[in-house]
Amino acid sequence: MKKELTDIKTKTLCYHCGEDCDHNVIVSQDKHFCCQGCKTVYEIINKNDLCSYYDMEQAPGINQKHRIREGKFDFLDDTQIIKKLTHFQDDTHQHVIFYLPQMHCASCIWILEHLNKINPGIIKSQVNFVKKEVTVIYNYHETSLKKVAEALTLIGYEPHISLNDVSSSKVKKYDTTSIVKIGIAGFCFGNIMMLSFPEYFSLAKADEVGLKTWFSYLNLLLSLPVFFYSASEFFISGYKGLRQKFLNIDAPIALAVLITFGRSVYEILSGTGAGYLDSMSGIVFFMLIGRYFQNRTYQTISFDRDFKSYFPLGVSVIDANGIEKQISVSELKVGDRIKIHNDEIVPADAILFLGKGTIDYSFVTGESLPVEKSIGEIVYAGGKQTSGAIELEVVKEVSQSYLTQLWNNEAFKENKEEVKISFIHRISRYFTYVLFTIALSAAIYWSINDPSKIWGAVTAVLIVACPCALLLSATFTNGNMIRILNKYKLYVKNASVIEQMSEIDTIVFDKTGTITEQGKSEISFQGEGLSGEQSQLIRSLANQSNHPLSKSVVSFLPFTKMLNVKNYKEFKGFGTSATIHDHFVKMGSSDFVLGKDTNQLVSGSRVYVSIDEAFVGYFIVKNSYRQGLKNIVSSLGSQFDLKILSGDNASEEAFLKSVFGNKSEMLFEQKPEDKLNFIKGLQNNNKKILMIGDGLNDAGALKQSNVGIAISDDTNNFSPACDAVLSGKNFMLLKELINYCRRQKTIIFASFVLSILYNIVGLSIAVQGNMQPVIAAILMPISSISIVLLTTGLSSFYELNLKKSIPDQSHDQK
C-alpha cells in the first residue's frame, strides 16, 4: 500500500507562509495560519502598519513552526563580539551587516527596509538582494545589536551569524583600482584619438600654426598615466612570469606597450613623427575592460568558505552555579559545560553529560541517519542535535577538534590555479616565438636592402602584432560564459574552472544531499493494509519518538486524532513500544519486532510493526533521489566514467546499481580522508576528476579534484570550499552545462583566427616599414570590437543550443 499523492480534502493554506495548515488551523482576523508563530509574526506586522508586505507577493513569509528560543542572541551583548561585528561606529551610530538566507522576494526587501517601524532605534536598513544581506544603521543609545537581531527574528528573518564573522577580517572594501585604471585609460585614449585627427588627415593648417607639435606633446603627457599606472599590471604579471621562467600572455602585451610607447616618445621628441600613443592607450583600455568584465561576474558568491562559516558564533555555557550564559565559541575551553539546544551545532568535541543525543552528522560524515548518543559518549564537532536540549563537557578546543583537523589537510593549502597552465598562455608562447621570428626576418631583410627602415619595420611589427586579440577573445569569452552559466545557476569561481571542466573524463558523485533530495524521503507500507484504527495506533506511537524514521512514519500516516499513550519505552538502536487504547504496539527493527534478523538486502530502511504481538507489516523508508536521475546518469555515462563515493551505508546499493550500472565503482561508509585519498589515486592514474558533493565531508575531495562542484539547494547558504556552486534545482542540466563549457576553446580559437587575419593585414604593411599612425589607429579598434562581437555572438549562439538540449522535465523520471 502506497500513500496517495492527491488529497481529497481541500487544503487550507497559511496566510503568512503559504504552507498547508493540515489539521492545525489557527484563525485570527478572518485569516488562517498554520502555527502560532506565523500568527504572531502577522500580528507584529499588522500592529506596525506594514501589511503592504502581503500585497506584493502572495504568502511571502517564512514558516514559523520552529520558534527561536529565548536568549539565543544573548552573546550579542558581549562588547568584544559587538566590536568585531560592527563595520562602522561614531558617537551615536553603529553599522552592522547581517546575512539573511531566508530573503527571496520583493516583499522581503520591502519589509527589511522598513525595520525602523518595528524598532525605532533603527535609523536605516538597506538590502543587498544578490548577497542576501541587510545593512542596518542603528542608534546604540536607543537600542542594541541584540535587539536588532531579535527584531529581524521576530518577523521571520533570523540572521545567520557564524564564527567566521568574527574570526576573519571585516568585509573587504570594494576595490576601485581596476575602475580607476579603466577610467584613466579611457579618458586618455579618447582625448589622444581626438588630438591625433590633424595627423590622421594631414591637415596643413594645423601644421602651419604648430598645432600638430603641441597636440603631439599633449598626447605624450596624456599617455604617461596610461603607461605608468593603467598598464602596470601587465608589466608586473609579465615580470613575475619571466622570473619563474614562464612566458605568460601578459609578457608579449607588456612588450608591445613598451615598444609602442618607446617609439612614440622617440618620434615626438625627435620631431620625426606623431607616434602610436593612441594605439598604446587603446590596447590598455580594451584589455582592462575585458579583465574587469570577466572578474566582475563572480564576485557575489563565496567559494572559499571553511568550517567556521558553519559554526555558530555563540554557545550556551553553564557555570559552576548552574547559571546559563552565552559566550563566543572562540572562548570555549576544555572542561566547559555547554548546553546545545534542538537544531544547534556542536562547536567542539565534547562528552555527553546530560540528556539524549540524536546527532545528525550528515554534513560532516555523509551518514543520512542521525546517530543516537548516550551519556558518557563523545560527540564530535559539526554534528547537529535533533531531539531537544543536551548538556556536554568540552574535551577539545574548537581549534583542536576533529573537524578542524580535517580542514587542515594539505589539500586545502594547495592552489589549483598554480598547478594548471591555461592553454591561452601556451598559445601566447608560440605567438611570441612567431612574432620575434617575423621581426628578426624583417630586420635581416632591411639590413641588406635599406638599413634606414630596420627600426621602423621591427617596431611596427611588434606594435601591430600585439596578442591583445588573443587576450580579448579569452576574457570576453570567459566573461560571457560565466554570465550565461550564472543564468542557469552554475556559479564558477573563475575562468580557469571553465577550461578545466572541458577536460574532465571522470565524474565522482557523493550520495547524501547530492544525488538525493535534502530532507526528503520516500516511504511505502508493505502488508495486508492498515485499518483506520491501526494507522492511528502506529502514528501515535511514532509521534513519541524523535528518530527520523519515526518522523517519516508520522508524516506518511493520515492524522485523525491523537490517542493516549501509556508505558512508552524506547530501546536504543532497536525500536519503541507502548500501550495505546489497550493495544500493545511495537515498532522498530526485525530483531525487535519479530525476534529475528530477516537479513534481506533491500533498498532503504525498514520499520517493522506489530500490534498485540501480531505482525502487521513494515514501512520502507528510502532516500528521495533528485528528479530525472536515471536520465542524467544515462546521458553522462556515455561520455564519462561515473563513480559514487558516499559516507552513508550501503543499504541502497542495489538501487544505485540499477541506475548507474555495474561498471560504476561505488564505495560506501567513506570518511572524509578516504574520499580525498580516492581522488588522489584516480589523479595518479592521469584521470581528470569532476567531484560533486555538498557537505564538509566532501570538502577535501572537492578541493583535491580538478574541478569541485558543491550542490546547494540554497546557493547563498553554506557550501564547502569548491570551484563552483550548482543549484540543486538545476542538477538535471549537469551534462548540458559541461558540454557548454567545452565550447570555450572553440570560441577562443575562432576569434584567434579572426585576429590572425587582422595581423596578416597589419604585418604585410609593417614589414615594409610604411606603417602610418592612422592605419594602426583603424586596425586596433576594429579588430578589438569585431572580436568582442564575435565572442559575444558565439557565446549566445551556443546558449541557444544549450536551451534546445535541455531535457523535458514534464515527467519525474527516477
Side-chain angles (χ1 to χ4, degrees):
M1 183 184 79
K2 295 190 175 181
K3 188 178 183 181
E4 296 295 331
L5 295 177
T6 57
D7 196 346
I8 297 175
K9 66 177 183 179
T10 304
K11 290 184 177 180
T12 301
L13 301 182
C14 177
Y15 180 75
H16 176 71
C17 70
E19 293 193 13
D20 185 8
C21 294
D22 196 18
H23 59 277
N24 183 32
V25 181
I26 299 173
V27 181
S28 176
Q29 301 181 24
D30 296 326
K31 295 176 175 59
H32 299 87
F33 302 94
C34 65
C35 62
Q36 191 65 37
C38 286
K39 172 178 171 287
T40 302
V41 172
Y42 167 76
E43 289 172 346
I44 292 170
I45 292 173
N46 184 46
K47 178 182 177 182
N48 291 282
D49 195 25
L50 293 171
C51 281
S52 296
Y53 173 65
Y54 297 103
D55 297 336
M56 299 180 181
E57 304 277 344
Q58 184 176 2
I62 313 299
N63 184 276
Q64 297 295 305
K65 288 181 180 178
H66 303 288
R67 298 295 291 165
I68 306 302
R69 64 177 175 85
E70 186 177 349
K72 182 171 183 177
F73 295 107
D74 286 350
F75 64 91
L76 292 180
D77 284 333
D78 187 291
T79 306
Q80 292 302 315
I81 291 178
I82 294 174
K83 184 177 179 181
K84 291 178 179 179
L85 290 175
T86 300
H87 291 259
F88 174 81
Q89 178 175 337
D90 58 20
D91 293 337
T92 56
H93 301 157
Q94 283 181 338
H95 297 202
V96 65
I97 298 176
F98 284 128
Y99 170 56
L100 308 177
Q102 310 90 336
M103 199 186 304
H104 66 283
C105 66
S107 292
C108 299
I109 297 173
W110 186 85
I111 197 167
L112 288 170
E113 293 193 342
H114 288 80
L115 290 177
N116 58 309
K117 290 191 175 183
I118 298 173
N119 185 335
I122 295 175
I123 298 168
K124 181 182 179 182
S125 52
Q126 186 171 353
V127 168
N128 183 330
F129 186 73
V130 175
K131 291 187 176 183
K132 296 196 174 184
E133 292 177 345
V134 59
T135 301
V136 180
I137 303 173
Y138 64 96
N139 186 327
Y140 59 86
H141 298 299
E142 297 180 9
T143 188
S144 66
L145 184 60
K146 173 187 171 182
K147 290 180 180 178
V148 171
E150 287 177 340
L152 286 166
T153 305
L154 273 176
I155 57 174
Y157 297 91
E158 180 188 356
H160 177 83
I161 308 172
S162 69
L163 180 59
N164 194 54
D165 292 327
V166 296
S167 59
S168 61
S169 58
K170 289 285 188 292
V171 174
K172 295 180 180 178
K173 293 183 178 180
Y174 183 70
D175 185 9
T176 59
T177 304
S178 58
I179 294 180
V180 172
K181 286 184 176 181
I182 291 172
I184 290 174
F187 172 79
C188 295
F189 171 53
N191 281 280
I192 290 173
M193 287 279 287
M194 182 182 66
L195 293 172
S196 298
F197 280 168
E199 184 66 33
Y200 293 158
F201 304 109
S202 301
L203 299 178
K205 290 184 179 180
D207 193 35
E208 289 175 3
V209 295
L211 288 179
K212 280 188 179 182
T213 302
W214 280 107
F215 286 170
S216 296
Y217 280 108
L218 283 174
N219 286 343
L220 179 58
L221 184 64
L222 287 168
S223 70
L224 294 177
V226 178
F227 181 78
F228 288 104
Y229 179 66
S230 297
S232 59
E233 62 186 71
F234 299 108
F235 291 102
I236 294 170
S237 175
Y239 173 70
K240 288 181 178 178
L242 292 175
R243 283 190 62 182
Q244 297 175 2
K245 298 181 180 179
F246 171 66
L247 188 64
N248 59 28
I249 194 169
D250 286 337
I253 290 176
L255 177 63
V257 172
L258 179 62
I259 294 296
T260 308
F261 181 75
R263 175 170 172 174
S264 301
V265 170
Y266 170 77
E267 289 187 358
I268 292 172
L269 294 181
S270 64
T272 56
Y276 302 90
L277 295 174
D278 48 357
S279 297
M280 183 211 71
S281 55
I283 290 171
V284 175
F285 177 59
F286 283 110
M287 294 301 98
L288 291 175
I289 286 180
R291 287 194 171 176
Y292 175 79
F293 176 67
Q294 175 182 304
N295 296 335
R296 185 79 177 103
T297 54
Y298 49 76
Q299 288 181 349
T300 58
I301 301 292
S302 176
F303 297 90
D304 295 313
R305 296 163 171 151
D306 63 14
F307 68 95
K308 294 177 184 176
S309 301
Y310 185 53
F311 276 14
L313 175 56
V315 63
S316 299
V317 174
I318 301 174
D319 63 19
N321 298 320
I323 299 174
E324 182 179 339
K325 63 178 183 179
Q326 289 275 329
I327 67 168
S328 171
V329 167
S330 59
E331 297 176 7
L332 275 181
K333 302 183 297 294
V334 173
D336 282 349
R337 190 166 171 182
I338 60 176
K339 188 171 185 178
I340 302 298
H341 298 80
N342 189 51
D343 280 341
E344 288 187 348
I345 304 296
V346 179
D349 296 351
I351 298 293
L352 184 59
F353 193 84
L354 182 66
K356 175 188 173 185
T358 307
I359 310 299
D360 179 4
Y361 280 122
S362 60
F363 202 70
V364 180
T365 66
E367 176 64 45
S368 58
L369 293 178
V371 178
E372 294 185 357
K373 294 288 184 180
S374 300
I375 292 174
E377 290 188 273
I378 189 167
V379 179
Y380 291 106
K384 179 189 287 186
Q385 166 65 359
T386 61
S387 60
I390 56 175
E391 293 182 16
L392 307 100
E393 185 173 306
V394 176
V395 294
K396 288 184 180 180
E397 294 181 7
V398 175
S399 60
Q400 301 297 321
S401 68
Y402 164 75
L403 196 57
T404 309
Q405 292 172 9
L406 164 65
W407 213 267
N408 288 335
N409 190 285
E410 290 181 1
F412 294 97
K413 301 173 185 177
E414 296 176 0
N415 188 347
K416 275 191 276 190
E417 295 173 34
E418 294 177 358
V419 177
K420 173 70 178 176
I421 298 175
S422 172
F423 79 100
I424 299 294
H425 295 303
R426 294 198 296 269
I427 293 175
S428 71
R429 184 186 307 167
Y430 296 118
F431 180 93
T432 305
Y433 295 154
V434 172
L435 176 61
F436 280 126
T437 301
I438 294 174
L440 181 61
S441 300
I444 294 173
Y445 175 82
W446 288 114
S447 66
I448 299 172
N449 295 281
D450 188 354
S452 63
K453 289 188 176 183
I454 294 177
W455 168 252
V458 171
T459 54
V461 167
L462 295 175
I463 292 171
V464 171
C466 169
C468 59
L470 178 59
L471 182 59
L472 266 182
S473 62
T475 52
F476 276 93
T477 297
N478 292 330
N480 270 303
M481 295 191 79
I482 291 172
R483 176 182 57 82
I484 291 169
L485 290 173
N486 286 358
K487 187 189 300 185
Y488 293 91
K489 300 189 183 301
L490 174 61
Y491 306 93
V492 298
K493 183 177 183 179
N494 51 42
S496 66
V497 175
I498 298 176
E499 182 181 336
Q500 293 180 57
M501 202 181 302
S502 68
E503 299 175 354
I504 63 168
D505 53 34
T506 303
I507 302 179
V508 179
F509 293 93
D510 169 53
K511 182 173 82 78
T512 306
T514 300
I515 60 176
T516 65
E517 297 267 9
Q518 293 183 355
K520 294 183 180 180
S521 60
E522 294 178 358
I523 182 170
S524 60
F525 181 77
Q526 302 296 322
E528 292 295 325
L530 296 173
S531 66
E533 182 185 11
Q534 288 176 322
S535 293
Q536 292 314 301
L537 289 172
I538 298 170
R539 192 182 193 280
S540 296
L541 175 60
N543 200 45
Q544 305 302 309
S545 173
N546 283 307
H547 196 280
L549 295 179
S550 297
K551 292 180 179 179
S552 296
V553 171
V554 171
S555 66
F556 175 74
L557 295 173
F559 173 84
T560 304
K561 62 179 180 178
M562 189 63 67
L563 304 179
N564 186 31
V565 178
K566 298 179 180 179
N567 302 322
Y568 172 77
K569 294 180 181 179
E570 187 162 347
F571 303 89
K572 181 181 176 182
F574 292 96
T576 61
S577 67
T579 300
I580 308 173
H581 274 214
D582 297 326
H583 294 284
F584 182 62
V585 186
K586 292 176 71 176
M587 183 173 67
S589 66
S590 59
D591 272 342
F592 180 68
V593 175
L594 303 178
K596 61 180 180 179
D597 188 355
T598 57
N599 280 327
Q600 294 186 31
L601 294 175
V602 295
S603 175
S605 302
R606 287 189 177 189
V607 180
Y608 292 81
V609 180
S610 69
I611 299 177
D612 296 326
E613 301 296 346
F615 178 60
V616 176
Y618 57 86
F619 296 91
I620 298 178
V621 183
K622 299 188 294 185
N623 284 306
S624 177
Y625 288 87
R626 292 195 183 273
Q627 180 179 344
L629 179 63
K630 280 190 176 181
N631 288 340
I632 298 167
V633 171
S634 176
S635 61
L636 289 172
S638 60
Q639 285 184 261
F640 308 101
D641 185 14
L642 306 181
K643 302 179 186 296
I644 287 183
L645 211 55
S646 176
D648 204 354
N649 58 57
S651 63
E652 299 191 13
E653 183 176 6
F655 171 76
L656 291 172
K657 287 284 187 184
S658 70
V659 174
F660 283 81
N662 293 323
K663 291 183 179 180
S664 295
E665 186 175 2
M666 298 183 184
L667 297 176
F668 298 92
E669 298 181 355
Q670 297 291 291
K671 296 178 181 178
E673 55 267 28
D674 296 332
K675 293 186 176 185
L676 190 150
N677 291 330
F678 181 77
I679 298 295
K680 285 183 178 179
L682 291 175
Q683 291 174 328
N684 291 336
N685 291 324
N686 297 317
K687 295 289 187 179
K688 305 293 185 183
I689 312 298
L690 167 61
M691 173 71 193
I692 304 178
D694 77 306
L696 284 176
N697 61 308
D698 304 314
L702 288 169
K703 189 74 174 179
Q704 178 64 38
S705 58
N706 299 82
V707 178
I709 296 181
I711 297 291
S712 176
D713 291 306
D714 181 355
T715 51
N716 279 284
N717 211 337
F718 179 84
S719 55
C722 57
D723 299 306
V725 177
L726 174 63
S727 169
K729 295 178 181 178
N730 282 18
F731 178 73
M732 76 283 294
L733 303 182
L734 183 61
K735 179 190 175 183
E736 287 70 28
L737 293 171
I738 293 174
N739 287 337
Y740 182 70
C741 291
R742 290 187 163 188
R743 301 294 187 183
Q744 178 210 38
K745 289 185 179 179
T746 303
I747 298 173
I748 291 176
F749 278 126
S751 57
F752 189 47
V753 169
L754 178 63
S755 72
I756 288 175
L757 295 177
Y758 280 111
N759 279 330
I760 290 173
V761 174
L763 287 171
S764 64
I765 301 172
V767 294
Q768 299 177 49
N770 295 323
M771 176 62 68
Q772 298 297 319
V774 66
I775 298 175
I778 293 172
L779 280 177
M780 188 277 301
I782 288 180
S783 64
S784 298
I785 292 171
S786 60
I787 284 170
V788 170
L789 293 175
L790 178 65
T791 55
T792 304
L794 286 176
S795 299
S796 300
F797 172 75
Y798 285 125
E799 184 193 2
L800 292 176
N801 291 340
L802 169 62
K803 288 181 179 178
K804 292 178 182 178
S805 61
I806 292 176
D808 182 16
Q809 302 172 29
S810 59
H811 298 90
D812 183 9
Q813 301 179 23
K814 298 181 182 168

